[in-house]
Amino acid sequence: MEQQIQQFGAGPRELYLPEMAVITEVRRLTELETLYTVELPGGRDLGHKPGQFVEVSLYGIGEAPFSISSSPTRRGSFELGIRRVGMLTDVLAGYAPGRKIGIRGPFGNGIDVSKFTGKDVLIIAGGIGLVPMRSLINYVLDRRDEFGRLIICYGSRSDSELLFPDELAAWEKDPRTEYHVTVDRGTEAWTGRTGVITTLLPGLALDLPNTVACICGPPVMYRFVVMALRGRGLPDQNVYMSLERRMKCGVGKCGHCQINNTYVCQDGPVYNLPDIAKLREAL
Amino acid sequence: MAQYFLEQARVADFVAHLLASNTVYAPHRKGSRSYAFAKADDPAAVVLDYPRTLSSVKKFFLPPREVLLNFDLTLDAASVPPVEPGNAVFLGVHSYDLAAVRRLDFNFTTGNPERNYLARRDGARFIGVSYVPDKFHFAGSVGIDPYDMTGCDMFLTKHADGWIVDIPTGEGSELAAGFKLEAHDEPKPPRAHFTQHVFVPQARLGKVMEASYDHPVWNETADACLGCGTCNLVCPTCYCFNVQENVDIACTSGQRERSWDGCMLRGFTEVAGGEFFREKVAARQRHRVYRKFKYISDVTGQPWCVGCGRCTASCTAKISIVEIVNRLIRDSERDESILT
Amino acid sequence: MAKPRVAIFDFTGCEGCELSQLNFEDQLLDILAQVDIVEWREAMDDKADEYDIAFVEGALSTPDCIKRIHDIRRRTKVLVALGACAVDGGVNAIKNLHPIEEVRATVYGQDQYLFPTLPALPLSAVVKVDYNVRGCPMTQAEFLRVFTSLVMGKQFEEPDLAVCVECKLNENECVYERGMICLGPVTRAGCNSHCTNFGQYCIGCRGLVSEPNLKGMNEVLTSHGLAVDEAWKRLQLYNAYRLQGVRA
Ligand SMILES: Cc1cc2nc3c(=O)[nH]c(=O)nc-3n(C[C@H](O)[C@H](O)[C@H](O)COP(=O)(O)OP(=O)(O)OC[C@H]3O[C@@H](n4cnc5c(N)ncnc54)[C@H](O)[C@@H]3O)c2cc1C
Ligand code: SF4
Ligand code: SF4
Ligand code: FES
């Protein structure tokens, strides 16, 4: 560390200046969630990996991190699925196509998809965790022959909160996708399975060493899903998960996203289970 | 290396000499018994013999509050305000504060180098001074000698009625050029002793910390701790910040501003659904101490605490980081296996 | 966009928070330009049926106050409490420490039965309060932050950290160094450590942070020479309502 990079003053890139992008499409998903299609100047590709995120700026309101929901295989624009929970997301909920928003990123490590080549991909998404996982799902669907089975387990609080209904229906029909869904509490119209997401796991036929699992969902979900996967005999090194922490900078400077010794915005948000299993603040 | 001597009576002349062609920041009196770095203007007001300043020189490279963006709400456009370039002389810096600057350099150049910090840091020249450790300093225990000149362009060592001057760099010679200094060839006086010590070196602290995650000291400290964040804010190696949006009254323009933040503050760790993942003060105390002695240290091999004593000296609840660390060491020493 | 309709009310307090009394200088015009003031006893006779934002000063201390605040809440979309009395009950709530009959007798003497009085209550004890502007008198900069947030249609995030943080950002010498006793470590920031910037100690007018360590604070106060009761009284000055039934 003593041999510092003595390149002070040399112009590294602007870390905190967003680029103005335009919302080209707004699709209401549920009462709380909305899908925004966003285009960078000149329709330039964002150049992201599944699992990465961007910082969205509304000037005068603030900035917040959101996962990129579209796959990099879909070019020219990208999608953000955003739940209305507070200051920034409330204001964003009132935005219509044509509005400009600031974008910084893509940030974070994302999923190294090359490690999944030839493997069976098991996706476990709870609630809004489907938003980032959708990027990986569509990536696999667009390059279907590079991967083994695609198994999607999706859990939602209620059927009225299921995201991307037309895509869910397409996965259900697709013979090469194994799609399982459960809701905690179904409405009267619900004919599918009821129960928490872990109830989907025992019934799955898995080719264990050849399966990689990707988990994303609310904080409480992780511990139980990890227990269930271990119960099924899936080795920890085959398990990846996307973590969420409050972020202020997204570039490894502000310290807000730190979990024990790791910065989620730099080393994450996607972690291989053995790397965080010992972090007491992680799960 | 040649040494020179600067009589105390000529210190003001030396400051005036520096001021003739440089912007100089140096310690000044502040309040009734404190010191703070400030832009030198009156050479007679500069104090070289002081125990510690309230904030370290960090504040010149990472200002307590800093505008990151100016935005115009009518145009939906933002711009980055110009960062005033560094190029200043920092006179009267203690070796631990310079060691802290090197640690900040690491944080702001690793991963994503940050222009704001680097531009301010650019061209900084340091004139170090020795100090006599008081009841809070323990820099010696973290490997930083009061006479350590690393990073200095000149170094002043207190001796009798003046200062022995070392000029280790070319920049230092330039700063001294034109100011008459007598040659001096006596050895430096022996350093004053530290009264505060951390019992083991960093090489062993990583393991001590590892074994101490559930130590009762965290809860006991939390009983007294007010969670006020002072210990973070005065620390010369803390660099975490918060970002907030300011809007002018007419709601047509504003700034995105960052300000120093602290991991001891409750809001720092808030996550989805109003949950806090270091909800308890005890967990925050552990995080603070681990950030100084474990997390980055495991990677770089260096403690991120420089032994300045500021957090202990300014804690209203009188919580001492040295006492916490030594207690962990004592208790883990009982378990021989950890330290062998 | 239509300008928000604003109404301004006051209850029991010293009137030091009243917008008209504040030293906003030319900012007041900028403020007024962005809203329609539809009801304001101080400045106009009009009364309105509904408003977007109601700014309310003062604590509640009579049965009539309670009726009026319910009425205001019904008519407004957003209710903002202005100043320590409205937010926390303020100094008024010190009377709650004594039996109410005793208070009436002391204040009104023989006429006590002509003046119904209740223990002093912050607005939030009776109705839902959306935002607070704390301080005694209220912190002007915070009023402007709340005001611009409302005009921009965003939520206002109340600071939840100690005055010590701002005191450190301003690189003040801690007043404990000068033998003073300061409530900064448990008092909510947002005033830019106004008092300690001037070498004065913090008396806690912005109320406590969300989870104050009262036991720890009492230890600090008593170790600096206050008797146990004195220390507690210091904390109660602006926090009497919040600390009812609490004793560290
Ligand atoms: C890597 C990452 C990816 C994310 N991806 C998505 C996504 O795809 N879709 C989505 O809707 N949300 C996502 N989030 C969460 C999103 O960042 C927060 O919901 C958002 O910051 C809330 O901003 P706000 O101003 O509307 O809410 P605020 O008014 O700031 O807060 C409202 C509530 O949200 C919580 N909150 C605020 N910021 C965060 C945060 N960064 N992380 C977790 N909780 C927070 C607060 O504790 C509070 O309970 C992601 C977060 C991270 C860190
Ligand atoms: S300065 Fe002292 S009381 Fe304040 S947060 Fe730090 S340890 Fe706790
Ligand atoms: S003067 Fe008061 S507010 Fe400032 S640091 Fe000291 S205790 Fe905190
Ligand atoms: S978000 Fe700032 S360090 Fe990770």
Side-chain angles (χ1 to χ4, degrees):
Chain A
M1 185 221 126
E2 287 299 337
Q3 61 279 357
Q4 280 303 326
I5 313 160
Q6 285 298 347
Q7 281 297 318
F8 301 122
R13 78 191 158 108
E14 261 334 313
L15 293 180
Y16 306 118
L17 181 66
E19 181 172 19
M20 291 317 284
V22 63
I23 299 178
T24 55
E25 204 184 320
V26 174
R27 223 173 99 201
R28 185 116 302 155
L29 296 174
T30 69
E31 211 176 303
L32 285 180
E33 282 103 3
T34 307
L35 188 73
Y36 299 87
T37 308
V38 182
E39 209 175 287
L40 290 173
R44 208 183 71 238
D45 283 333
L46 182 61
H48 67 286
K49 291 190 231 165
Q52 282 192 301
F53 64 92
V54 289
E55 286 279 349
V56 171
S57 266
L58 309 189
Y59 296 132
I61 309 292
E63 200 177 35
F66 298 99
S67 307
I68 302 149
S69 185
S70 51
S71 161
T73 49
R74 317 265 162 111
R75 315 274 308 262
S77 60
F78 61 95
E79 290 166 343
L80 303 172
I82 295 178
R83 172 178 287 180
R84 184 174 177 170
V85 296
M87 174 155 54
L88 182 135
T89 49
D90 265 1
V91 175
L92 199 57
Y95 276 20
R99 265 316 270 261
K100 284 199 269 177
I101 57 176
I103 296 288
R104 292 192 299 129
F107 293 140
N109 59 354
I111 298 168
D112 182 359
V113 211
S114 66
K115 292 206 179 114
F116 294 7
T117 313
K119 301 250 166 72
D120 293 353
V121 181
L122 167 60
I123 308 256
I124 302 167
I128 195 165
L130 185 63
V131 167
M133 286 298 109
R134 177 172 168 263
S135 177
L136 176 64
I137 292 170
N138 283 325
Y139 187 94
V140 173
L141 288 172
D142 288 349
R143 300 180 163 205
R144 195 63 196 86
D145 295 334
E146 294 173 21
F147 304 90
R149 292 160 64 197
L150 173 62
I151 313 161
I152 302 170
C153 294
Y154 176 33
S156 179
R157 265 192 310 207
S158 142
D159 46 317
S160 62
E161 292 175 31
L162 291 171
L163 303 170
F164 311 108
D166 28 342
E167 284 167 63
L168 303 184
W171 300 339
E172 190 141 32
K173 281 200 216 97
D174 181 353
R176 296 186 68 188
T177 303
E178 299 163 47
Y179 171 69
H180 308 277
V181 59
T182 178
V183 302
D184 297 353
R185 275 167 285 99
T187 62
E188 308 227 315
W190 181 245
T191 55
R193 187 195 265 269
T194 319
V196 293
I197 192 158
T198 39
T199 60
L200 294 174
L201 303 177
L204 295 178
L206 296 178
D207 173 10
L208 281 178
N210 195 39
T211 300
V212 288
C214 267
I215 315 172
C216 188
V220 288
M221 190 185 103
Y222 291 90
R223 210 172 317 142
F224 295 103
V225 169
V226 166
M227 270 177 357
L229 290 176
R230 282 176 176 160
R232 290 297 314 271
L234 192 67
D236 279 4
Q237 66 268 23
N238 290 20
V239 178
Y240 295 82
M241 48 184 56
S242 179
L243 299 185
E244 207 178 276
R245 284 296 182 271
R246 189 130 200 178
M247 293 182 177
K248 289 289 178 184
C249 74
V251 291
K253 297 288 173 265
C254 75
H256 279 255
C257 67
Q258 191 174 17
I259 303 179
N260 295 119
N261 63 356
T262 178
Y263 275 39
V264 179
C265 73
Q266 297 296 290
D267 314 322
V270 182
Y271 288 91
N272 192 203
L273 179 53
D275 295 337
I276 48 168
K278 285 201 221 68
L279 302 187
R280 301 273 294 270
E281 292 170 353
L283 297 181
Chain B
M1 195 169 35
Q3 281 188 345
Y4 307 89
F5 194 76
L6 174 66
E7 302 83 28
Q8 178 58 40
R10 290 186 70 217
V11 165
D13 291 346
F14 178 60
V15 177
H17 163 80
L18 292 172
L19 276 174
S21 41
N22 300 283
T23 304
V24 178
Y25 296 99
H28 291 68
R29 292 192 167 279
K30 174 132 193 186
S32 61
R33 47 204 280 198
S34 306
Y35 299 87
F37 275 94
K39 192 155 184 267
D41 167 24
D42 170 12
V46 169
V47 186
L48 292 184
D49 204 354
Y50 67 99
R52 70 176 58 66
T53 49
L54 292 165
S55 290
S56 73
V57 286
K58 171 181 87 173
K59 68 179 182 183
F60 297 108
F61 311 129
L62 180 65
R65 297 185 175 93
E66 175 180 8
V67 174
L68 294 178
L69 289 182
N70 287 311
F71 48 79
D72 181 326
L73 294 171
T74 54
L75 299 174
D76 244 343
S79 61
V80 177
V83 174
E84 54 298 1
N87 289 320
V89 173
F90 296 89
L91 168 65
V93 183
H94 289 168
S95 54
Y96 52 78
D97 274 351
L98 251 169
V101 170
R102 290 196 292 281
R103 283 161 177 75
L104 290 177
D105 289 349
F106 177 86
N107 293 117
F108 283 95
T109 51
T110 327
N112 298 296
E114 193 201 275
R115 189 189 64 99
N116 307 41
Y117 177 89
L118 297 181
R120 290 203 175 81
R121 177 74 176 78
D122 192 30
R125 283 147 298 156
F126 295 98
I127 303 179
V129 288
S130 67
Y131 64 96
V132 178
D134 71 0
K135 62 180 176 175
F136 297 113
H137 289 109
F138 58 100
S141 307
V142 285
I144 305 164
D145 188 288
Y147 289 0
D148 181 8
M149 292 191 247
T150 315
C152 291
D153 299 301
M154 295 178 78
F155 192 86
L156 313 179
T157 309
K158 180 89 187 163
H159 180 48
D161 55 346
W163 304 83
I164 298 172
V165 181
D166 286 278
I167 308 184
T169 70
E171 277 91 345
S173 308
E174 275 173 37
L175 288 175
F179 186 78
K180 188 153 169 35
L181 288 167
E182 300 297 332
H184 178 87
D185 49 15
E186 284 166 56
K188 290 182 183 177
R191 348 171 128 51
H193 291 292
F194 284 93
T195 55
Q196 288 281 305
H197 303 275
V198 171
F199 297 150
V200 303
Q202 181 63 43
R204 283 157 69 185
L205 275 182
K207 281 198 171 151
V208 170
M209 294 297 156
E210 185 107 47
S212 308
Y213 204 89
D214 298 305
H215 196 281
V217 77
W218 310 122
N219 277 321
E220 288 162 27
T221 308
D223 282 345
C225 171
L226 307 173
C228 70
T230 291
C231 47
N232 300 134
L233 283 125
V234 298
C235 178
T237 67
C238 272
Y239 55 88
C240 292
F241 58 84
N242 194 9
V243 179
Q244 88 173 45
E245 213 91 346
N246 302 325
V247 176
D248 69 5
I249 314 169
C251 298
T252 52
S253 64
Q255 307 89 38
R256 182 165 294 167
E257 186 185 72
R258 72 167 163 194
S259 53
W260 293 349
D261 206 345
C263 57
M264 286 307 300
L265 299 168
R266 184 165 185 269
F268 190 83
T269 58
E270 194 178 0
V271 286
E275 272 184 61
F276 297 80
F277 71 95
R278 279 188 290 275
E279 162 91 72
K280 294 226 154 66
V281 175
R284 285 180 251 150
Q285 276 290 354
R286 177 179 55 224
H287 189 71
R288 163 170 95 97
V289 174
Y290 275 32
R291 282 200 63 137
K292 297 301 150 193
F293 295 103
K294 179 163 173 58
Y295 295 147
I296 314 184
S297 309
D298 282 354
V299 178
T300 63
Q302 290 200 320
W304 235 245
C305 165
V306 293
C308 72
R310 284 188 180 90
C311 56
T312 306
S314 40
C315 176
T316 13
K318 297 204 162 33
I319 289 164
S320 155
I321 195 164
V322 176
E323 276 171 31
I324 294 176
V325 173
N326 283 341
R327 188 159 157 215
L328 299 179
I329 294 168
R330 263 196 309 271
D331 288 352
S332 60
E333 260 167 358
R334 284 198 212 112
D335 180 0
E336 298 262 300
S337 61
I338 293 167
L339 292 178
T340 45
Chain C
M1 203 165 49
K3 289 181 180 176
R5 292 158 56 83
V6 167
I8 299 159
F9 303 94
D10 58 283
F11 289 95
T12 313
C14 69
E15 318 219 323
C17 289
E18 273 179 19
L19 287 167
S20 56
Q21 308 285 321
L22 287 178
N23 190 17
F24 277 121
E25 288 156 14
D26 40 42
Q27 293 170 331
L28 191 59
L29 290 177
D30 280 322
I31 295 172
L32 296 177
Q34 305 210 51
V35 295
D36 272 332
I37 309 260
V38 294
E39 187 168 341
W40 189 358
R41 184 179 63 97
E42 293 305 301
M44 55 201 279
D45 296 327
D46 287 358
K47 277 188 163 278
D49 292 337
E50 278 187 358
Y51 359 98
D52 295 308
I53 307 165
F55 290 109
V56 184
E57 304 153 5
L60 309 172
S61 63
T62 66
D64 185 52
C65 293
I66 311 263
K67 270 214 307 264
R68 274 176 65 213
I69 192 68
H70 277 299
D71 187 50
I72 293 167
R73 180 71 259 188
R74 264 194 302 276
R75 291 164 192 263
T76 191
K77 293 197 186 110
V78 175
L79 195 155
V80 183
L82 296 189
C85 299
V87 174
D88 273 331
V91 183
N92 287 299
I94 290 181
K95 77 170 187 183
N96 304 1
L97 307 173
H98 307 279
I100 199 77
E101 295 308 319
E102 209 176 277
V103 173
R104 274 162 74 172
T106 316
V107 178
Y108 300 110
Q110 291 190 329
D111 294 334
Q112 57 174 298
Y113 296 104
L114 301 178
F115 296 94
T117 180
L118 296 171
L121 299 173
L123 308 184
S124 60
V126 176
V127 294
K128 176 173 171 274
V129 171
D130 299 290
Y131 302 108
N132 293 322
V133 179
R134 292 169 177 271
C136 176
M138 70 161 170
T139 308
Q140 286 192 30
E142 188 163 66
F143 176 81
L144 293 177
R145 282 193 292 274
V146 171
F147 181 82
T148 50
S149 297
L150 289 170
V151 171
M152 293 195 54
K154 70 168 176 177
Q155 299 169 16
F156 168 72
E157 217 176 325
E158 184 166 58
D160 187 14
L161 32 83
V163 172
C164 292
V165 171
E166 291 173 339
C167 198
K168 293 292 160 301
L169 291 178
N170 294 323
E171 208 180 354
N172 294 332
E173 176 183 57
C174 179
V175 301
Y176 278 97
E177 285 287 323
R178 275 184 286 143
M180 292 187 196
I181 279 169
C182 181
L183 292 187
V186 289
T187 300
R188 210 179 269 260
C191 53
N192 192 25
S193 62
H194 185 78
C195 295
T196 58
N197 295 351
F198 288 101
Q200 272 307 327
Y201 53 89
C202 168
I203 54 174
C205 79
R206 291 180 44 82
L208 296 167
V209 293
S210 62
E211 297 209 339
N213 179 351
L214 293 171
K215 190 166 148 278
M217 190 68 224
N218 264 316
E219 259 158 44
V220 169
L221 295 176
T222 48
S223 75
H224 282 86
L226 289 192
V228 177
D229 275 358
E230 277 305 311
W232 193 243
K233 277 188 187 149
R234 283 269 180 137
L235 280 168
Q236 275 179 322
L237 182 59
Y238 279 97
N239 300 298
Y241 179 81
R242 178 152 168 205
L243 295 179
Q244 276 171 39
V246 182
R247 186 76 199 241

